[in-house]
Amino acid sequence: MTAIPLGSPRRRWSARQDELFGQLVELFLREGFSDITLGEAANRLHCSKTTIYSLASSREQLVRTAVVHFFKGAADRVEQKLSAAADPADRIAVYLRAVGDELRPASAAFVDDVAAFPPANEIYERNTQIAADRVRELISAGVERGAFRPVPAAFIAEAVTAVMVRIQQRQIADSTGLTDAEAYDELATLIVQGIRLPQARA
């Protein structure tokens, strides 16, 4: 997972605008955004509707900007956690579990709303694909170092991508009851245990 700059960068905001935007993102994460109008957002954040419009010219643009902000921040923090891990197996586990950790604040309502709003879902899809590509890189690096069985990294990455897409499309949650974060935890365990050398698993 890495930052995805979709669209033009936002203009510079004041400290007050940054604070309000952060509160708005937290509101969306807790409750979703499908039922929150700009007027209601202004009431909930105790500011004027004009102030909300200073963040974006439309509700759709505001939602999209908030979703980009959430995934960009998540991607940056995931990479920071990954940089602290050295062992190949640890790097895969740290990476996938960090992705899961970053999704924990996202309520089911938020994830459902993202899936139902094409501009937001595009952002989630692209982040999912980049995360799967990152896992392939980590597996390939581990195979080259002799830490993993000589597995076909491209195939494992395809399997990881398939699971990630099902997580992103809410299919895993519907069929298993797992949250997105819990599903990423289980995926990390499954992949690492499956590709470790036998002596490493023992």
Side-chain angles (χ1 to χ4, degrees):
M1 179 181 278
T2 188
I4 300 179
L6 295 174
S8 58
R10 78 187 193 197
R11 62 186 180 280
R12 186 178 300 277
W13 286 344
S14 67
R16 174 58 175 161
Q17 287 173 313
D18 277 329
E19 178 185 8
L20 285 172
F21 184 70
Q23 293 173 358
L24 182 72
V25 172
E26 290 177 359
L27 175 63
F28 286 171
L29 288 172
R30 286 195 311 271
E31 302 180 21
F33 50 79
S34 62
D35 296 329
I36 298 178
T37 64
L38 292 183
E40 183 178 354
N43 290 335
R44 299 284 294 276
L45 300 180
H46 307 292
C47 67
S48 68
K49 199 169 178 180
T50 300
T51 301
I52 295 293
Y53 272 112
S54 74
L55 302 177
S57 60
S58 68
R59 179 183 175 280
E60 290 72 19
Q61 183 183 7
L62 187 64
V63 167
R64 190 176 184 282
T65 302
V67 173
V68 168
H69 174 83
F70 169 67
F71 281 108
K72 181 182 185 303
D76 291 344
R77 289 186 291 273
V78 167
E79 288 295 331
Q80 288 174 2
K81 290 180 180 179
L82 181 63
S83 67
D87 179 78
D90 288 345
R91 284 173 65 77
I92 293 175
V94 165
Y95 184 82
L96 287 172
R97 287 176 177 142
V99 171
D101 287 343
E102 290 300 326
L103 290 173
R104 290 186 197 283
S107 66
F110 174 80
V111 176
D112 287 344
D113 287 349
V114 167
F117 183 50
N121 194 50
E122 176 194 3
I123 296 162
Y124 196 171
E125 286 180 346
R126 291 185 64 180
N127 273 273
T128 298
Q129 184 57 57
I130 288 177
D133 291 343
R134 193 75 168 98
V135 170
R136 186 188 68 246
E137 294 172 1
L138 296 172
I139 293 172
S140 296
V143 170
E144 290 176 3
R145 289 180 56 181
F148 302 145
R149 296 185 297 107
V151 296
F155 170 77
I156 302 297
E158 284 296 319
V160 170
T161 300
V163 175
M164 286 181 166
V165 168
R166 284 179 58 83
I167 293 172
Q168 176 250 319
Q169 293 177 345
R170 305 293 291 148
Q171 294 173 348
I172 295 296
D174 291 343
S175 63
T176 69
L178 295 174
T179 66
D180 288 6
E182 290 168 343
Y184 271 102
D185 283 346
E186 294 300 327
L187 180 61
T189 300
L190 181 66
I191 296 302
V192 171
Q193 292 302 316
I195 64 178
R196 277 185 186 273
L197 293 169
Q199 61 268 31
R201 287 200 298 271

